[in-house]
Amino acid sequence: MTEKLTGAQVLIRSLEQAQAEVVFGIPGGAILPAYDPLMDSSKLRHILVRHEQAAGHAASGYAWASGRVGVCMATSGPGATNLVTPLADAHMDSIPVVAITGQVPSPAIGTDAFQEADIRGITFPITKHNYLVTDPHEIPRAVAEAFYIASTGRPGPVLVDISKDALQAETTWWWPTEIKLRGYRPHRSASDQAVADAVELILSAKKPVLYVGGGIIKASATNELLEMANLTGIPVVTTLMARGAVPDSHPSHLGMPGMHGTVAAVGALQQSDLLIALGARFDDRVTGKLSTFAPNAKVIHLDIDPAEIGKNRAADVALVGDAKQTISRLNAEFSKQLKNGRTIDQAAWWQSLNRLRDTYPLGYDDPHDGSLSPQYVIQRLGELAGPDAIYTAGVGQHQMWAAQFIKYERPNTWLNSGGLGTMGYAVPAAMGAKVAKPNNPVWAIDGDGCFQMTNQELATCTINEIPIKVAVINNNSLGMVRQWQTLFYNERYSQTDLHSHSFPDFVKLAEAYGAYGLRCDSAEQVDGTIEKAMAMDDAPVVIDFMVHQDAMVWPMVAAGTSNSDIKVARDMAPVWDRED
């Protein structure tokens, strides 16, 4: 006898069949039918968040830390629209997330029914694909395809919107044995000729740079990249999304390029005669004024997404394919050429880069008034928590300092909102990462502005025994906006003072949520406070670091200007103007 199930039961079984482990979500009217069979599932863990936005970011953090597909679930209307920001975030940063949303009954679609929103139309530009399912029999196919699309090729978010009547109606269980999507070609391989041409360009270059983006981490290609760096001796820069793709301790690593990158990394790109762009998209925060970026460089561009090739910068050699496979082929071809007596002479190039690295190391000045330096806090946190910890950050000064002053030795240990720049990302992403990696310490490095957007998820962490640790870099303001007001708006601080040194009391707030609350306001207390937090593993911990308000992120390339205009301090000329 054929087994009859409701669409809701089919949905839960489909998620199990797709190997989902955890669902972050909140029930509501349209999705409510799915929450009843969820109680009977022995394979799915549901974590009840306090806001749908947090469900999306938690799914993203889970996906990034684990390499699996993250899953979030919400009801129709406002529940679904609260997922828009995390879906856009996952889309920009290529994170595999599947969002399940309830929809009003199919006869009511288009009537402006209670809690109706065209979430498929709304999210069309910010998802890799999305579905509206009104037939319960189609639920397994939609879920199977959603997981396949989200996790193959260039990863990204997929939304499956299911009408309430489809969840309530009965159907027969089935599961697709194979997935064939017309026009979708996630598995691509660069041609042999393109690989050979790329190696020829590398061998003829005098000033090559490995420009590494987040696609290398998404492709699990970090071992192949490390082999390439060792084999070629070419300088490496890792973007904000690629921190940890090459260990910071590696002698060829020059640091992070871009708006707040190291002088050596920015200078290497600007002066290069060959950019070997690996899983990078020539983002404006890396290139600065695009027309002036690396003006003398030829480009080898490797990406799984053909739409990225030539989008911002024309490629002399295009390698459209999986990064892990393609870099392995490049290494094999390069090794063959070395055996044939070919070499690269980079002595003069490295001499120039080492001079930049030695002359302009990352650093900071301690505040003149004796207050706590935020850079010192983050540097010591990284040194004490170590390379096995996972770090998340929202967006702003704390994000940049965390990218600069923590040493990343492993991939998937640095999670941040790089493309969309989403305030409030850090705490829920840390929650998702901790669920994925319960044996790793997980630190959310947050600003006092970002923290006040999603700190309600401390309750979720307490109740579900997810002991994340939160370092609030509390500078009493919206720090990055204040920095721009200092530099470009004549110190007119319009609406950036949060009064966070006075209220709310973050220690009491943490305790109200069942977490530990600690405060630190001097350099002498930093190590002891961090060590105390590290010893607390039975509940979340929040440290309120009361730091200097006017600390700034340097180096800096102002938005819209050339990377050649990089400055290392407010009142100093651009670096290249001071070169001998």
Side-chain angles (χ1 to χ4, degrees):
M1 184 176 177
T2 305
E3 185 180 15
K4 287 285 188 178
L5 299 172
T6 66
Q9 291 171 315
V10 166
L11 170 62
I12 300 307
R13 186 175 292 188
S14 296
L15 291 172
E16 293 174 341
Q17 195 71 25
Q19 306 300 311
E21 295 178 328
V22 184
V23 178
F24 300 91
I26 301 179
I31 197 66
L32 194 57
Y35 272 80
D36 187 63
L38 190 60
M39 286 192 71
D40 302 323
S41 173
S42 60
K43 296 180 181 179
L44 284 178
R45 177 187 181 189
H46 183 276
I47 295 177
L48 176 62
V49 297
R50 296 311 185 257
H51 193 287
E52 290 90 354
Q53 181 181 351
H57 290 319
S60 179
Y62 173 91
W64 198 331
S66 68
R68 300 169 61 89
V69 175
V71 184
C72 55
M73 193 150 65
T75 195
S76 63
T81 58
N82 280 341
L83 289 177
V84 169
T85 294
L87 287 174
D89 187 273
H91 182 66
M92 290 285 281
D93 289 345
S94 303
I95 310 297
V97 169
V98 169
I100 307 294
T101 55
Q103 184 54 273
V104 299
S106 54
I109 293 175
T111 68
D112 292 332
F114 176 67
Q115 289 194 332
E116 181 188 0
D118 177 13
I119 195 61
R120 189 181 186 203
I122 291 168
T123 62
F124 184 81
I126 56 167
T127 53
K128 193 174 176 184
H129 192 59
N130 60 22
Y131 296 83
L132 171 61
V133 182
T134 57
D135 180 350
H137 189 69
E138 291 299 307
I139 291 173
R141 179 185 62 82
V143 171
E145 290 180 2
F147 274 75
Y148 177 70
I149 293 168
S151 60
T152 55
R154 180 179 184 168
V158 179
L159 180 134
V160 181
D161 193 33
I162 309 173
S163 65
K164 187 172 184 178
D165 55 320
L167 292 171
Q168 292 172 321
E170 284 193 339
T171 188
T172 55
W173 165 252
W174 71 289
W175 185 252
T177 56
E178 63 176 348
I179 297 174
K180 290 184 178 179
L181 299 172
R182 187 172 61 183
Y184 181 57
R185 294 179 54 212
H187 306 294
R188 298 175 182 270
S189 183
S191 70
D192 291 340
Q193 186 61 55
V195 171
D197 290 346
V199 171
E200 278 300 315
L201 272 185
I202 293 170
L203 287 166
S204 63
K206 300 297 184 185
K207 298 179 179 181
V209 179
L210 294 173
Y211 162 30
V212 178
I216 295 303
I217 293 178
K218 302 300 186 299
S220 300
T222 54
N223 289 337
E224 290 73 17
L225 172 63
L226 191 58
E227 181 184 353
M228 175 179 270
N230 291 331
L231 186 65
T232 64
I234 294 173
V236 185
V237 302
T238 54
T239 68
L240 180 68
M241 300 304 297
R243 303 290 287 114
V246 169
D248 277 350
S249 58
H250 194 280
S252 294
H253 189 236
L254 299 177
M256 181 176 72
M259 177 176 278
H260 294 295
T262 66
V263 172
V266 172
L269 293 177
Q270 283 302 93
Q271 299 176 40
S272 173
D273 64 1
L274 177 64
L275 299 182
I276 307 162
L278 306 174
R281 58 188 180 89
F282 291 86
D283 176 71
D284 64 288
R285 294 290 146 145
V286 170
T287 66
K289 186 178 180 181
L290 187 60
S291 62
T292 67
F293 176 65
N296 300 314
K298 292 184 177 180
V299 173
I300 299 168
H301 195 176
L302 165 61
D303 206 286
I304 189 68
D305 185 356
E308 286 298 339
I309 307 295
K311 185 179 78 174
N312 293 324
R313 175 71 176 256
D316 295 274
V317 176
L319 297 167
V320 181
D322 173 73
K324 187 178 184 73
Q325 178 199 75
T326 307
I327 296 174
S328 182
R329 292 169 62 198
L330 288 168
N331 290 340
E333 177 65 19
F334 191 84
S335 295
K336 185 174 78 172
Q337 295 299 327
L338 289 181
K339 290 177 182 177
N340 291 336
R342 306 283 299 276
T343 60
I344 313 177
D345 181 7
Q346 300 181 82
W349 180 222
W350 268 113
Q351 184 178 15
S352 174
L353 295 178
N354 283 330
R355 184 167 69 88
L356 277 181
R357 186 153 56 178
D358 293 341
T359 305
Y360 300 104
L362 277 176
Y364 55 90
D365 295 323
D366 289 324
H368 295 304
D369 61 2
S371 58
L372 185 57
S373 161
Q375 299 98 319
Y376 177 75
V377 168
I378 292 171
Q379 180 178 324
R380 290 302 296 152
L381 174 57
E383 290 166 352
L384 292 170
D388 289 328
I390 295 171
Y391 304 90
T392 71
V395 64
Q397 289 180 313
H398 67 279
Q399 175 193 24
M400 294 297 104
W401 288 321
Q404 291 176 330
F405 292 105
I406 292 176
K407 301 302 180 185
Y408 298 98
E409 297 294 308
R410 298 169 179 74
N412 300 311
T413 56
W414 164 242
L415 286 58
N416 79 116
S417 178
L420 194 64
T422 307
M423 294 180 70
Y425 171 89
V427 170
M431 176 171 65
K434 186 65 176 177
V435 171
K437 297 288 184 180
N439 297 323
N440 291 69
V442 177
W443 281 90
I445 300 173
D446 225 353
D448 48 314
C450 287
F451 182 61
Q452 292 185 75
M453 292 193 173
T454 51
N455 62 38
Q456 74 279 348
E457 300 309 320
L458 289 172
T460 310
C461 291
T462 298
I463 291 167
N464 291 278
E465 299 180 344
I466 306 170
I468 66 168
K469 306 183 193 306
V470 184
V472 181
I473 309 302
N474 183 354
N475 62 4
N476 209 41
S477 64
L478 297 170
M480 188 62 87
V481 183
R482 181 183 173 88
Q483 175 167 333
W484 282 49
Q485 288 173 332
T486 300
L487 297 175
F488 309 119
Y489 291 88
N490 299 317
E491 301 182 8
R492 289 165 56 83
Y493 300 117
S494 174
Q495 305 304 314
T496 47
D497 192 341
L498 293 174
H499 304 282
S500 307
H501 282 183
S502 302
F503 51 85
D505 185 323
F506 290 141
V507 172
K508 290 181 179 178
L509 181 69
E511 292 171 347
Y513 279 126
Y516 295 107
L518 306 172
R519 179 169 289 116
C520 176
D521 60 10
S522 71
E524 292 75 23
Q525 299 171 338
V526 168
D527 283 17
T529 306
I530 293 171
E531 288 166 351
K532 185 176 181 180
M534 290 171 61
M536 297 170 168
D537 280 328
D538 58 335
V541 185
V542 175
I543 308 176
D544 183 11
F545 287 105
M546 311 275 279
V547 301
H548 184 63
Q549 186 172 44
D550 288 317
M552 291 194 190
V553 184
W554 298 104
M556 181 177 180
V557 178
T561 67
S562 169
N563 280 354
S564 297
D565 295 327
I566 188 171
K567 298 175 68 173
V568 294
R570 179 182 181 183
D571 298 320
M572 299 182 75
V575 167
W576 313 127
D577 290 353
R578 295 184 288 116
E579 285 288 289
D580 296 329

